């Protein structure tokens, strides 16, 4: 029996013993909790009048509930480890010693008893760096007591599934290329791959980076940047338990489907899940007191593809807009306030005195919050001089009189003043409940609101992860810098910018975040086969990217006369099933094309191919196995075994990004299909073309 197999049997027994022990402890704690509940209800009427006994009972109950939760969390972790307790080992001889110590590496620490020497070391532990960063020979790791030096005698890699050893072998290199090809080139799952078994040296350096406040990762498509960011979060949580927990971390992700796609990673690594949301959703919530509704970003993308990008939109997202707002605010003070004398029960302030307080004493406070400060000063002075306290009702009346000196407090109206000053079209004057902000005005309005009113920063967030960083504008980053003073991990790929032209945000980010930002470029891609990677490269023109040498089927390019013919070909090429692939996608340029494709495929498919067809749009929340139909911009961040690119207009300024993003979603097979009739289907199933599109356009087709 091999060493690895023997150790697997040993550690599996020990894990099962601990799982059983924890199960018994959980049951015992639950009995204690039930007993405490019973005692409380039987005796609460006789507890002391001051509530001390009640408080003591509540605290004891809370302690037991917390103990049960911790035991349950630990048991879940042990059960996850039982499936694959370890994936690597290092035989390390410390300097001055002769005998080698064997360190087994897994997704979590495991010792037979709390505080004991681990049988398995967490991949984030200092000693685990030996596995990721060194080959045989001299090596070292940084432990709490200092740098530990020595020599690696041997390294082993293991594949364990369902508690059984699939293979094990001694490796001269950090991660064998065959392992990489097998792990990263495996069939596409409906969740992002956990890369803990295949972390490369350059990836490990990013994951374990704790020195840089802001880390910006520019990575090629398929370089694993999202996985690395999530593994970095897990590493930071592991090493800073006292100051950092899952509630202190926020991920700004592109959409809900992507959030679902990555949601399992942290639990797999032994951590609680963290909050995720889109920046757009955050902005819409913050503008509820300004407008009733806001245009969706995806509507805006569709409009840009159809009509082009508005010069006004570009200006409103630029440094020029920020400078214009700052200049506007300097002149706004005189226009915004009409000072008047204030009197309350014989105590008064002249308009000139209020003006001095407003312009000089409280000049650092934003304009629409400044009069509140002047009012508080007035109230404090009255209460001090008269020795009286003003009631809340009277205070509110005084506040209304002070705020009444503003010509307006409506940010929407003030924004229109700014647009007028800049010679730009103004928004329609409407009551709040009828206002609708187009996307180009969402962040300009939000920035103006932040500059006019006190805004609380998100101090509870101590680490922010921003995915798809290339899709954020200059203005959005200025807002983010005002909102978050925490550490950040930013990641993206300039070649995947969803816009007419590529945007390299790393050119202007240092101006916003300062010199505390470190830039890292990842040039090795692990996702696509060489054939697919070369095709993607021919579209983007990007050079200098290294590819994992995994070969596959050539890219298929084909033209069709009709849409029906094209989609029948898709169904004939899809390989989904237990012995084949897990995921495939039909990716289109526009939402209109995606909806038509989806309906047509459903009609042709008739649910007799053994897999389901799913449609992803802006309201979708999950990623499913089978054949997915969606737009290129909704597919960002996802990967599929097979990808079918459908049409797209070459005259559209988004065409290159469309083709590149679609191509880089494919793991194994890529089909590029074009149709002479780009989106009008020729399919007939009890509907002629005219009736089909009538039903499609009024929405009834999607309800069938």
């Amino acid at each position: 029996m091999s060493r690895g197999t023997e150790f697997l049997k040993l550690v599996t027994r020990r894990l099962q013993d601990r799982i059983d022990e924890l199960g018994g402890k959980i049951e015992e704690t639950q009995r204690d909790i039930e007993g405490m509940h019973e005692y409380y209800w039987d005796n609460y009427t006789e507890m002391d009048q001051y509530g001390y006994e009640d408080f003591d009972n509540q605290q004891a109950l809370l302690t037991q509930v917390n103990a049960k939760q911790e035991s349950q969390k630990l048991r879940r972790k042990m059960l996850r480890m039982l499936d694959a307790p370890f994936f690597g080992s290092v035989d390390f001889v410390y300097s001055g010693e002769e005998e080698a110590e064997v360190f087994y590496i897994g997704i979590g620490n495991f010792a037979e008893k709390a505080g004991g020497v681990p049988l398995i070391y967490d991949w984030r532990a200092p000693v685990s760096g030996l596995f990721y960063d060194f080959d045989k020979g001299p090596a070292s790791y940084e432990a709490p007591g200092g740098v530990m030096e020595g020599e690696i005698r041997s390294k082993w890699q293991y594949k364990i599934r369902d508690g059984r050893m699939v293979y094990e072998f001694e490796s001269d290199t950090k991660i064998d290329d065959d392992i990489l090809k097998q792990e990263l080139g495996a069939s596409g799952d409906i969740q992002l791959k956990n890369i803990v078994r295949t972390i490369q040296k350059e990836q490990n350096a990013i994951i374990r980076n704790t020195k840089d406040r802001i880390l910006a990762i520019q990575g090629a498509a398929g370089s694993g940047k999202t996985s690395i960011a999530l593994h970095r979060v897990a590493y930071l949580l592991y090493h800073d338990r006292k100051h950092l927990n899952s509630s202190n971390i926020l991920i700004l992700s592109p959409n809900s489907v992507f959030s679902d796609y990555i949601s399992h990673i942290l639990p797999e690594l032994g951590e609680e899940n963290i909050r995720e949301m889109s920046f757009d959703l955050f902005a819409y919530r913050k503008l509820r007191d300004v407008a009733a509704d806001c245009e969706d970003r995806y509507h805006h993308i569709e409009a840009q593809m159809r009509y082009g990008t508005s010069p006004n939109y570009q200006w409103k997202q630029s440094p020029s807009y920020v400078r214009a707002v700052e200049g506007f605010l300097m002149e706004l003070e005189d226009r915004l306030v009409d000072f008047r004398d204030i009197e309350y029960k014989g105590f008064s302030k002249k308009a000139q005195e209020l003006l001095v307080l407003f312009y000089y004493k409280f000049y650092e406070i934003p304009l629409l919050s400044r009069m509140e400060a002047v009012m508080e000063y007035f109230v404090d002075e009255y209460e001090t001089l008269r020795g009286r306290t003003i009631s809340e009702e009277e205070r509110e009346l005084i506040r209304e009189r002070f705020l009444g000196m503003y010509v307006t407090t409506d940010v929407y109206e003030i924004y229109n003043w700014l647009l007028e000053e800049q010679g730009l079209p103004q928004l329609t004057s409407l009551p709040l409940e009828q206002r609708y902000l187009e996307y180009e005005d969402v962040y300009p309005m939000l920035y103006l609101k932040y500059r006019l009113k006190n805004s609380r920063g998100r101090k509870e967030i101590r680490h922010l992860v921003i995915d798809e960083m290339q899709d954020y504008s200059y203005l959005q980053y200025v807002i983010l810098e005002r909102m978050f003073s925490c550490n950040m991990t930013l990641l993206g790929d300039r070649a995947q910018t969803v816009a007419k032209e590529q945007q390299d945000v790393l050119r202007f980010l240092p101006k916003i975040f300062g010199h505390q930002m470190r830039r890292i470029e990842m040039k090795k891609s692990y996702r696509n086969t060489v054939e697919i990677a070369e095709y993607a490269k021919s579209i983007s023109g990007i050079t200098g990217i290294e590819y994992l040498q995994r070969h596959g089927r050539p890219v298929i390019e084909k033209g069709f006369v009709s849409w029906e013919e094209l989609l029948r070909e898709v169904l004939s090429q899809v390989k989904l099933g237990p012995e084949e692939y897990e995921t495939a996608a039909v990716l289109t340029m526009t939402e209109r094309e995606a909806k038509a494709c989806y309906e047509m495929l459903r009609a042709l498919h008739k649910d007799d191919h053994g897999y389901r067809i799913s449609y992803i749009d802006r309201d979708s929340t999950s990623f499913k196995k089978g054949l997915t139909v969606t737009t290129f911009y909704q597919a960002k961040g996802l990967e599929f075994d097979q990808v079918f690119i459908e049409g797209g207009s070459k005259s559209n300024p988004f065409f290159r990004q469309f083709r590149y993003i679609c191509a880089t979603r494919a793991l194994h097979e890529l089909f590029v299909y074009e149709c002479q009739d780009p989106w009008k289907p020729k399919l007939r199933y009890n509907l002629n073309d005219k009736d089909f599109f009538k039903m499609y356009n009024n929405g009834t087709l999607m309800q069938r």
Side-chain angles (χ1 to χ4, degrees), residues 220-243:
S223 59
K225 51 190 177 292
T226 302
S227 289
I228 290 166
L230 294 172
H231 284 66
R232 183 174 190 237
V233 166
Y235 180 84
L236 295 172
L237 286 167
Y238 178 85
H239 282 272
D240 195 10
R241 299 278 186 208
K242 289 183 179 179
H243 305 102

Side-chain angles (χ1 to χ4, degrees), residues 287-306:
L287 291 173
R288 282 175 180 167
D289 60 343
V290 176
D293 198 6
C294 298
E295 182 186 18
D296 189 283
R297 177 173 180 260
Y298 299 115
H299 279 128
H300 179 68
I301 291 172
E302 291 283 339
Q304 283 183 304
M305 287 192 287
R306 192 174 299 178

Side-chain angles (χ1 to χ4, degrees), residues 264-331:
H264 68 109
I265 291 287
L266 288 171
E268 276 188 10
L269 300 176
E271 300 295 342
E272 296 297 313
N273 242 328
I274 58 183
R275 286 181 289 173
E276 300 167 51
M277 66 182 298
S278 73
F279 193 26
D280 288 342
L281 179 59
F282 178 86
Y284 303 154
R285 288 175 178 174
K286 288 295 181 182
L287 291 173
R288 282 175 180 167
D289 60 343
V290 176
D293 198 6
C294 298
E295 182 186 18
D296 189 283
R297 177 173 180 260
Y298 299 115
H299 279 128
H300 179 68
I301 291 172
E302 291 283 339
Q304 283 183 304
M305 287 192 287
R306 192 174 299 178
Y307 307 115
T309 304
S310 160
N312 293 340
Y313 171 78
Q314 293 178 320
W315 180 81
K316 289 176 183 178
Q317 304 296 319
S318 71
S320 297
Y321 174 78
V322 175
R323 289 193 293 270
V325 169
E326 299 310 308
F328 172 72
L329 291 175
M330 292 178 67
E331 299 175 358

